[in-house]
Amino acid sequence: MTISITPAASQRMRQFLAQTPSARGVRFGVKRTGCSGFAYVVDLADELVADDQVLDIDGVQVVVDSKSLALVDGTVIDFQRQGLNASFVFHNPNATGECGCGESFTVG
């Protein structure tokens, strides 16, 4: 199981975690939604459950649920700013297609 985060994503995650010291880490996974099937979820992990995998990536605790593991394995998480917009960007080798808006993806 490998997930990577760029220095920009690591810095942004650390900012979120600093604002909520009670958080156990950053939760990363997927949910069924969108026009292509799956959408990424990035949130603070307030608690851990039995099937969570906790990865220490560059000192950031990244929490991934067991249902998302196979879908996000190998993903590189980046954080980009474009004008007034800023967001996490995902480079997922498992994605075989994305919707036009970039909000959801499919796997083969």
PDB file of all heavy atoms in Angstrom, residues 77-108:
ATOM      1  N   ILE A  77      -0.946  12.605  -3.884  1.00  0.00           N
ATOM      2  CA  ILE A  77      -1.814  13.724  -3.532  1.00  0.00           C
ATOM      3  C   ILE A  77      -0.994  15.003  -3.596  1.00  0.00           C
ATOM      4  O   ILE A  77       0.071  15.109  -2.980  1.00  0.00           O
ATOM      5  CB  ILE A  77      -2.401  13.566  -2.118  1.00  0.00           C
ATOM      6  CG1 ILE A  77      -3.131  12.228  -1.975  1.00  0.00           C
ATOM      7  CG2 ILE A  77      -3.330  14.731  -1.790  1.00  0.00           C
ATOM      8  CD1 ILE A  77      -3.533  11.894  -0.545  1.00  0.00           C
ATOM      9  N   ASP A  78      -1.482  15.965  -4.340  1.00  0.00           N
ATOM     10  CA  ASP A  78      -0.825  17.261  -4.489  1.00  0.00           C
ATOM     11  C   ASP A  78      -1.796  18.341  -4.025  1.00  0.00           C
ATOM     12  O   ASP A  78      -3.006  18.092  -3.885  1.00  0.00           O
ATOM     13  CB  ASP A  78      -0.429  17.483  -5.948  1.00  0.00           C
ATOM     14  CG  ASP A  78       0.532  18.646  -6.141  1.00  0.00           C
ATOM     15  OD1 ASP A  78       1.040  19.195  -5.133  1.00  0.00           O
ATOM     16  OD2 ASP A  78       0.775  19.017  -7.302  1.00  0.00           O
ATOM     17  N   PHE A  79      -1.308  19.528  -3.792  1.00  0.00           N
ATOM     18  CA  PHE A  79      -2.147  20.680  -3.472  1.00  0.00           C
ATOM     19  C   PHE A  79      -1.729  21.796  -4.402  1.00  0.00           C
ATOM     20  O   PHE A  79      -0.544  22.132  -4.486  1.00  0.00           O
ATOM     21  CB  PHE A  79      -1.973  21.103  -2.006  1.00  0.00           C
ATOM     22  CG  PHE A  79      -2.860  22.248  -1.611  1.00  0.00           C
ATOM     23  CD1 PHE A  79      -4.211  22.030  -1.372  1.00  0.00           C
ATOM     24  CD2 PHE A  79      -2.360  23.522  -1.482  1.00  0.00           C
ATOM     25  CE1 PHE A  79      -5.041  23.077  -1.015  1.00  0.00           C
ATOM     26  CE2 PHE A  79      -3.181  24.577  -1.117  1.00  0.00           C
ATOM     27  CZ  PHE A  79      -4.524  24.353  -0.888  1.00  0.00           C
ATOM     28  N   GLN A  80      -2.702  22.337  -5.140  1.00  0.00           N
ATOM     29  CA  GLN A  80      -2.383  23.359  -6.139  1.00  0.00           C
ATOM     30  C   GLN A  80      -3.264  24.580  -5.967  1.00  0.00           C
ATOM     31  O   GLN A  80      -4.439  24.471  -5.612  1.00  0.00           O
ATOM     32  CB  GLN A  80      -2.571  22.796  -7.551  1.00  0.00           C
ATOM     33  CG  GLN A  80      -1.636  21.660  -7.859  1.00  0.00           C
ATOM     34  CD  GLN A  80      -1.845  21.106  -9.263  1.00  0.00           C
ATOM     35  OE1 GLN A  80      -2.769  21.465  -9.960  1.00  0.00           O
ATOM     36  NE2 GLN A  80      -0.956  20.207  -9.656  1.00  0.00           N
ATOM     37  N   ARG A  81      -2.666  25.724  -6.262  1.00  0.00           N
ATOM     38  CA  ARG A  81      -3.397  26.992  -6.295  1.00  0.00           C
ATOM     39  C   ARG A  81      -3.414  27.491  -7.736  1.00  0.00           C
ATOM     40  O   ARG A  81      -2.391  27.502  -8.400  1.00  0.00           O
ATOM     41  CB  ARG A  81      -2.712  28.036  -5.423  1.00  0.00           C
ATOM     42  CG  ARG A  81      -2.749  27.732  -3.966  1.00  0.00           C
ATOM     43  CD  ARG A  81      -2.155  28.888  -3.156  1.00  0.00           C
ATOM     44  NE  ARG A  81      -2.099  28.561  -1.754  1.00  0.00           N
ATOM     45  CZ  ARG A  81      -3.115  28.687  -0.919  1.00  0.00           C
ATOM     46  NH1 ARG A  81      -4.267  29.152  -1.357  1.00  0.00           N
ATOM     47  NH2 ARG A  81      -2.990  28.364   0.348  1.00  0.00           N
ATOM     48  N   GLN A  82      -4.607  27.877  -8.191  1.00  0.00           N
ATOM     49  CA  GLN A  82      -4.752  28.461  -9.520  1.00  0.00           C
ATOM     50  C   GLN A  82      -5.642  29.675  -9.370  1.00  0.00           C
ATOM     51  O   GLN A  82      -6.857  29.540  -9.179  1.00  0.00           O
ATOM     52  CB  GLN A  82      -5.358  27.462 -10.499  1.00  0.00           C
ATOM     53  CG  GLN A  82      -4.447  26.290 -10.770  1.00  0.00           C
ATOM     54  CD  GLN A  82      -5.061  25.290 -11.734  1.00  0.00           C
ATOM     55  OE1 GLN A  82      -6.273  25.152 -11.813  1.00  0.00           O
ATOM     56  NE2 GLN A  82      -4.221  24.585 -12.462  1.00  0.00           N
ATOM     57  N   GLY A  83      -5.035  30.851  -9.414  1.00  0.00           N
ATOM     58  CA  GLY A  83      -5.796  32.071  -9.192  1.00  0.00           C
ATOM     59  C   GLY A  83      -6.354  32.081  -7.784  1.00  0.00           C
ATOM     60  O   GLY A  83      -5.630  31.901  -6.812  1.00  0.00           O
ATOM     61  N   LEU A  84      -7.658  32.257  -7.662  1.00  0.00           N
ATOM     62  CA  LEU A  84      -8.303  32.272  -6.351  1.00  0.00           C
ATOM     63  C   LEU A  84      -8.660  30.876  -5.854  1.00  0.00           C
ATOM     64  O   LEU A  84      -9.083  30.711  -4.715  1.00  0.00           O
ATOM     65  CB  LEU A  84      -9.573  33.127  -6.406  1.00  0.00           C
ATOM     66  CG  LEU A  84      -9.349  34.609  -6.732  1.00  0.00           C
ATOM     67  CD1 LEU A  84     -10.683  35.323  -6.861  1.00  0.00           C
ATOM     68  CD2 LEU A  84      -8.484  35.271  -5.679  1.00  0.00           C
ATOM     69  N   ASN A  85      -8.521  29.871  -6.697  1.00  0.00           N
ATOM     70  CA  ASN A  85      -8.888  28.498  -6.340  1.00  0.00           C
ATOM     71  C   ASN A  85      -7.688  27.734  -5.793  1.00  0.00           C
ATOM     72  O   ASN A  85      -6.573  27.880  -6.269  1.00  0.00           O
ATOM     73  CB  ASN A  85      -9.440  27.758  -7.559  1.00  0.00           C
ATOM     74  CG  ASN A  85     -10.693  28.399  -8.088  1.00  0.00           C
ATOM     75  OD1 ASN A  85     -11.543  28.842  -7.319  1.00  0.00           O
ATOM     76  ND2 ASN A  85     -10.810  28.477  -9.407  1.00  0.00           N
ATOM     77  N   ALA A  86      -7.948  26.910  -4.797  1.00  0.00           N
ATOM     78  CA  ALA A  86      -6.930  26.035  -4.229  1.00  0.00           C
ATOM     79  C   ALA A  86      -7.603  24.709  -3.888  1.00  0.00           C
ATOM     80  O   ALA A  86      -8.702  24.687  -3.348  1.00  0.00           O
ATOM     81  CB  ALA A  86      -6.325  26.655  -2.982  1.00  0.00           C
ATOM     82  N   SER A  87      -6.935  23.609  -4.232  1.00  0.00           N
ATOM     83  CA  SER A  87      -7.537  22.310  -3.962  1.00  0.00           C
ATOM     84  C   SER A  87      -6.483  21.207  -4.002  1.00  0.00           C
ATOM     85  O   SER A  87      -5.406  21.369  -4.570  1.00  0.00           O
ATOM     86  CB  SER A  87      -8.641  22.000  -4.971  1.00  0.00           C
ATOM     87  OG  SER A  87      -8.091  21.904  -6.270  1.00  0.00           O
ATOM     88  N   PHE A  88      -6.859  20.082  -3.392  1.00  0.00           N
ATOM     89  CA  PHE A  88      -6.038  18.891  -3.516  1.00  0.00           C
ATOM     90  C   PHE A  88      -6.260  18.310  -4.910  1.00  0.00           C
ATOM     91  O   PHE A  88      -7.368  18.344  -5.438  1.00  0.00           O
ATOM     92  CB  PHE A  88      -6.415  17.853  -2.453  1.00  0.00           C
ATOM     93  CG  PHE A  88      -5.961  18.226  -1.076  1.00  0.00           C
ATOM     94  CD1 PHE A  88      -6.861  18.691  -0.139  1.00  0.00           C
ATOM     95  CD2 PHE A  88      -4.626  18.113  -0.723  1.00  0.00           C
ATOM     96  CE1 PHE A  88      -6.448  19.042   1.130  1.00  0.00           C
ATOM     97  CE2 PHE A  88      -4.190  18.469   0.546  1.00  0.00           C
ATOM     98  CZ  PHE A  88      -5.102  18.938   1.477  1.00  0.00           C
ATOM     99  N   VAL A  89      -5.194  17.780  -5.496  1.00  0.00           N
ATOM    100  CA  VAL A  89      -5.236  17.164  -6.821  1.00  0.00           C
ATOM    101  C   VAL A  89      -4.688  15.755  -6.664  1.00  0.00           C
ATOM    102  O   VAL A  89      -3.691  15.541  -5.966  1.00  0.00           O
ATOM    103  CB  VAL A  89      -4.386  17.979  -7.828  1.00  0.00           C
ATOM    104  CG1 VAL A  89      -4.366  17.312  -9.184  1.00  0.00           C
ATOM    105  CG2 VAL A  89      -4.892  19.410  -7.922  1.00  0.00           C
ATOM    106  N   PHE A  90      -5.332  14.796  -7.326  1.00  0.00           N
ATOM    107  CA  PHE A  90      -4.994  13.388  -7.151  1.00  0.00           C
ATOM    108  C   PHE A  90      -4.494  12.798  -8.467  1.00  0.00           C
ATOM    109  O   PHE A  90      -5.133  12.943  -9.500  1.00  0.00           O
ATOM    110  CB  PHE A  90      -6.223  12.616  -6.671  1.00  0.00           C
ATOM    111  CG  PHE A  90      -6.858  13.280  -5.481  1.00  0.00           C
ATOM    112  CD1 PHE A  90      -7.936  14.130  -5.638  1.00  0.00           C
ATOM    113  CD2 PHE A  90      -6.349  13.073  -4.219  1.00  0.00           C
ATOM    114  CE1 PHE A  90      -8.508  14.761  -4.552  1.00  0.00           C
ATOM    115  CE2 PHE A  90      -6.912  13.699  -3.123  1.00  0.00           C
ATOM    116  CZ  PHE A  90      -7.994  14.547  -3.286  1.00  0.00           C
ATOM    117  N   HIS A  91      -3.357  12.137  -8.399  1.00  0.00           N
ATOM    118  CA  HIS A  91      -2.793  11.421  -9.543  1.00  0.00           C
ATOM    119  C   HIS A  91      -2.864   9.944  -9.185  1.00  0.00           C
ATOM    120  O   HIS A  91      -2.020   9.430  -8.445  1.00  0.00           O
ATOM    121  CB  HIS A  91      -1.364  11.883  -9.813  1.00  0.00           C
ATOM    122  CG  HIS A  91      -1.251  13.367  -9.996  1.00  0.00           C
ATOM    123  ND1 HIS A  91      -1.627  14.004 -11.160  1.00  0.00           N
ATOM    124  CD2 HIS A  91      -0.851  14.335  -9.142  1.00  0.00           C
ATOM    125  CE1 HIS A  91      -1.439  15.300 -11.020  1.00  0.00           C
ATOM    126  NE2 HIS A  91      -0.969  15.534  -9.803  1.00  0.00           N
ATOM    127  N   ASN A  92      -3.921   9.294  -9.681  1.00  0.00           N
ATOM    128  CA  ASN A  92      -4.241   7.922  -9.287  1.00  0.00           C
ATOM    129  C   ASN A  92      -3.998   6.973 -10.457  1.00  0.00           C
ATOM    130  O   ASN A  92      -4.701   7.036 -11.467  1.00  0.00           O
ATOM    131  CB  ASN A  92      -5.703   7.857  -8.838  1.00  0.00           C
ATOM    132  CG  ASN A  92      -6.101   6.510  -8.302  1.00  0.00           C
ATOM    133  OD1 ASN A  92      -5.421   5.519  -8.496  1.00  0.00           O
ATOM    134  ND2 ASN A  92      -7.240   6.470  -7.630  1.00  0.00           N
ATOM    135  N   PRO A  93      -3.021   6.058 -10.340  1.00  0.00           N
ATOM    136  CA  PRO A  93      -2.748   5.125 -11.429  1.00  0.00           C
ATOM    137  C   PRO A  93      -3.875   4.110 -11.663  1.00  0.00           C
ATOM    138  O   PRO A  93      -3.907   3.452 -12.701  1.00  0.00           O
ATOM    139  CB  PRO A  93      -1.467   4.423 -10.981  1.00  0.00           C
ATOM    140  CG  PRO A  93      -1.501   4.501  -9.496  1.00  0.00           C
ATOM    141  CD  PRO A  93      -2.167   5.815  -9.177  1.00  0.00           C
ATOM    142  N   ASN A  94      -4.800   3.981 -10.720  1.00  0.00           N
ATOM    143  CA  ASN A  94      -5.915   3.044 -10.852  1.00  0.00           C
ATOM    144  C   ASN A  94      -7.084   3.614 -11.638  1.00  0.00           C
ATOM    145  O   ASN A  94      -7.956   2.875 -12.075  1.00  0.00           O
ATOM    146  CB  ASN A  94      -6.414   2.620  -9.464  1.00  0.00           C
ATOM    147  CG  ASN A  94      -5.307   2.020  -8.640  1.00  0.00           C
ATOM    148  OD1 ASN A  94      -4.687   1.048  -9.039  1.00  0.00           O
ATOM    149  ND2 ASN A  94      -5.022   2.625  -7.500  1.00  0.00           N
ATOM    150  N   ALA A  95      -7.121   4.938 -11.804  1.00  0.00           N
ATOM    151  CA  ALA A  95      -8.227   5.587 -12.506  1.00  0.00           C
ATOM    152  C   ALA A  95      -8.094   5.338 -14.006  1.00  0.00           C
ATOM    153  O   ALA A  95      -7.051   5.591 -14.595  1.00  0.00           O
ATOM    154  CB  ALA A  95      -8.243   7.081 -12.218  1.00  0.00           C
ATOM    155  N   THR A  96      -9.158   4.820 -14.596  1.00  0.00           N
ATOM    156  CA  THR A  96      -9.147   4.576 -16.039  1.00  0.00           C
ATOM    157  C   THR A  96      -9.907   5.655 -16.797  1.00  0.00           C
ATOM    158  O   THR A  96      -9.862   5.696 -18.015  1.00  0.00           O
ATOM    159  CB  THR A  96      -9.773   3.203 -16.354  1.00  0.00           C
ATOM    160  OG1 THR A  96     -11.093   3.156 -15.814  1.00  0.00           O
ATOM    161  CG2 THR A  96      -8.944   2.086 -15.762  1.00  0.00           C
ATOM    162  N   GLY A  97     -10.596   6.515 -16.070  1.00  0.00           N
ATOM    163  CA  GLY A  97     -11.318   7.614 -16.693  1.00  0.00           C
ATOM    164  C   GLY A  97     -11.780   8.595 -15.637  1.00  0.00           C
ATOM    165  O   GLY A  97     -11.885   8.260 -14.460  1.00  0.00           O
ATOM    166  N   GLU A  98     -12.018   9.825 -16.075  1.00  0.00           N
ATOM    167  CA  GLU A  98     -12.526  10.865 -15.188  1.00  0.00           C
ATOM    168  C   GLU A  98     -13.661  11.581 -15.881  1.00  0.00           C
ATOM    169  O   GLU A  98     -13.708  11.648 -17.108  1.00  0.00           O
ATOM    170  CB  GLU A  98     -11.436  11.881 -14.850  1.00  0.00           C
ATOM    171  CG  GLU A  98     -10.290  11.324 -14.044  1.00  0.00           C
ATOM    172  CD  GLU A  98      -9.241  12.378 -13.722  1.00  0.00           C
ATOM    173  OE1 GLU A  98      -9.218  13.431 -14.398  1.00  0.00           O
ATOM    174  OE2 GLU A  98      -8.437  12.130 -12.823  1.00  0.00           O
ATOM    175  N   CYS A  99     -14.547  12.145 -15.076  1.00  0.00           N
ATOM    176  CA  CYS A  99     -15.628  12.931 -15.676  1.00  0.00           C
ATOM    177  C   CYS A  99     -15.058  14.265 -16.158  1.00  0.00           C
ATOM    178  O   CYS A  99     -13.937  14.646 -15.794  1.00  0.00           O
ATOM    179  CB  CYS A  99     -16.760  13.148 -14.680  1.00  0.00           C
ATOM    180  SG  CYS A  99     -16.331  14.202 -13.311  1.00  0.00           S
ATOM    181  N   GLY A 100     -15.806  14.966 -16.950  1.00  0.00           N
ATOM    182  CA  GLY A 100     -15.352  16.239 -17.515  1.00  0.00           C
ATOM    183  C   GLY A 100     -15.036  17.281 -16.480  1.00  0.00           C
ATOM    184  O   GLY A 100     -14.146  18.116 -16.687  1.00  0.00           O
ATOM    185  N   CYS A 101     -15.721  17.261 -15.358  1.00  0.00           N
ATOM    186  CA  CYS A 101     -15.484  18.282 -14.323  1.00  0.00           C
ATOM    187  C   CYS A 101     -14.299  17.907 -13.418  1.00  0.00           C
ATOM    188  O   CYS A 101     -13.861  18.726 -12.616  1.00  0.00           O
ATOM    189  CB  CYS A 101     -16.732  18.517 -13.504  1.00  0.00           C
ATOM    190  SG  CYS A 101     -17.294  17.077 -12.568  1.00  0.00           S
ATOM    191  N   GLY A 102     -13.806  16.667 -13.514  1.00  0.00           N
ATOM    192  CA  GLY A 102     -12.672  16.251 -12.708  1.00  0.00           C
ATOM    193  C   GLY A 102     -13.021  15.884 -11.279  1.00  0.00           C
ATOM    194  O   GLY A 102     -12.137  15.629 -10.463  1.00  0.00           O
ATOM    195  N   GLU A 103     -14.283  15.843 -10.947  1.00  0.00           N
ATOM    196  CA  GLU A 103     -14.713  15.548  -9.578  1.00  0.00           C
ATOM    197  C   GLU A 103     -14.828  14.057  -9.286  1.00  0.00           C
ATOM    198  O   GLU A 103     -14.825  13.663  -8.133  1.00  0.00           O
ATOM    199  CB  GLU A 103     -16.063  16.223  -9.290  1.00  0.00           C
ATOM    200  CG  GLU A 103     -16.010  17.723  -9.281  1.00  0.00           C
ATOM    201  CD  GLU A 103     -15.199  18.274  -8.119  1.00  0.00           C
ATOM    202  OE1 GLU A 103     -15.323  17.728  -7.001  1.00  0.00           O
ATOM    203  OE2 GLU A 103     -14.464  19.232  -8.332  1.00  0.00           O
ATOM    204  N   SER A 104     -14.961  13.232 -10.309  1.00  0.00           N
ATOM    205  CA  SER A 104     -15.117  11.800 -10.064  1.00  0.00           C
ATOM    206  C   SER A 104     -14.313  10.999 -11.081  1.00  0.00           C
ATOM    207  O   SER A 104     -13.860  11.525 -12.094  1.00  0.00           O
ATOM    208  CB  SER A 104     -16.599  11.401 -10.099  1.00  0.00           C
ATOM    209  OG  SER A 104     -17.168  11.688 -11.343  1.00  0.00           O
ATOM    210  N   PHE A 105     -14.140   9.712 -10.781  1.00  0.00           N
ATOM    211  CA  PHE A 105     -13.303   8.863 -11.636  1.00  0.00           C
ATOM    212  C   PHE A 105     -13.877   7.451 -11.676  1.00  0.00           C
ATOM    213  O   PHE A 105     -14.705   7.072 -10.869  1.00  0.00           O
ATOM    214  CB  PHE A 105     -11.865   8.843 -11.135  1.00  0.00           C
ATOM    215  CG  PHE A 105     -11.671   8.150  -9.815  1.00  0.00           C
ATOM    216  CD1 PHE A 105     -11.220   6.839  -9.766  1.00  0.00           C
ATOM    217  CD2 PHE A 105     -11.934   8.798  -8.624  1.00  0.00           C
ATOM    218  CE1 PHE A 105     -11.045   6.197  -8.556  1.00  0.00           C
ATOM    219  CE2 PHE A 105     -11.750   8.164  -7.401  1.00  0.00           C
ATOM    220  CZ  PHE A 105     -11.303   6.860  -7.370  1.00  0.00           C
ATOM    221  N   THR A 106     -13.400   6.683 -12.653  1.00  0.00           N
ATOM    222  CA  THR A 106     -13.767   5.272 -12.774  1.00  0.00           C
ATOM    223  C   THR A 106     -12.507   4.429 -12.677  1.00  0.00           C
ATOM    224  O   THR A 106     -11.388   4.912 -12.886  1.00  0.00           O
ATOM    225  CB  THR A 106     -14.453   4.972 -14.118  1.00  0.00           C
ATOM    226  OG1 THR A 106     -13.572   5.374 -15.177  1.00  0.00           O
ATOM    227  CG2 THR A 106     -15.754   5.691 -14.258  1.00  0.00           C
ATOM    228  N   VAL A 107     -12.694   3.170 -12.367  1.00  0.00           N
ATOM    229  CA  VAL A 107     -11.598   2.205 -12.359  1.00  0.00           C
ATOM    230  C   VAL A 107     -11.990   1.055 -13.276  1.00  0.00           C
ATOM    231  O   VAL A 107     -13.165   0.764 -13.459  1.00  0.00           O
ATOM    232  CB  VAL A 107     -11.275   1.691 -10.942  1.00  0.00           C
ATOM    233  CG1 VAL A 107     -10.702   2.802 -10.087  1.00  0.00           C
ATOM    234  CG2 VAL A 107     -12.478   1.081 -10.284  1.00  0.00           C
ATOM    235  N   GLY A 108     -10.979   0.421 -13.852  1.00  0.00           N
ATOM    236  CA  GLY A 108     -11.249  -0.640 -14.814  1.00  0.00           C
ATOM    237  C   GLY A 108     -11.375  -1.990 -14.259  1.00  0.00           C
ATOM    238  O   GLY A 108     -11.439  -2.429 -13.231  1.00  0.00           O
TER     239      GLY A 108
END
